[in-house]
Amino acid sequence: MTTEPQRFEILLVPEHVKNRSGAPRADHPLRSAVVEATGRTGASGYPRYVGEGMEADIDPATRTVEAVLVDGSELDPGMTALIAPETGKGAPGRRP
């Protein structure tokens, strides 16, 4: 049995919208997708997750998106991919 999360919610946010600490704000995503583990490792060396038009390599230890494709393409300049904050209910992001 793996200890890595089997599901994450990825948020696509514009880099120019920052919070007070200077990090991109996750509370106003332009798009989101729940991705599930494929059991494979991506080119970056991190586990691969796929779903809802997104394919991502995610470091589960740091909850960092290391590589992402959206609808088969790389992110547009000025966009960043973040992992949604955990809700504490066992589900990713804001989804029950």
Side-chain angles (χ1 to χ4, degrees):
M1 182 174 166
T2 182
T3 59
E4 295 173 351
Q6 296 301 299
R7 178 181 303 156
F8 286 105
E9 182 177 14
I10 297 176
L11 307 175
L12 298 182
V13 297
E15 289 179 348
H16 72 277
V17 179
K18 309 259 185 202
N19 64 19
R20 289 185 179 179
S21 70
R25 290 181 56 172
D27 57 347
H28 290 89
L30 298 178
R31 181 172 170 179
S32 68
V34 174
V35 293
E36 298 200 16
T38 65
R40 295 176 302 186
T41 301
S44 68
Y46 291 99
R48 174 66 50 102
Y49 293 78
V50 175
E52 298 182 26
M54 291 191 203
E55 187 170 345
D57 297 356
I58 298 173
D59 179 351
T62 62
R63 297 176 51 87
T64 302
V65 178
E66 298 293 341
V68 65
L69 294 175
V70 179
D71 298 328
S73 299
E74 293 184 12
L75 280 181
D76 290 334
M79 296 294 294
T80 191
L82 305 172
I83 299 297
E86 294 184 76
T87 62
K89 295 182 181 180
R94 298 176 299 276
R95 298 178 184 201

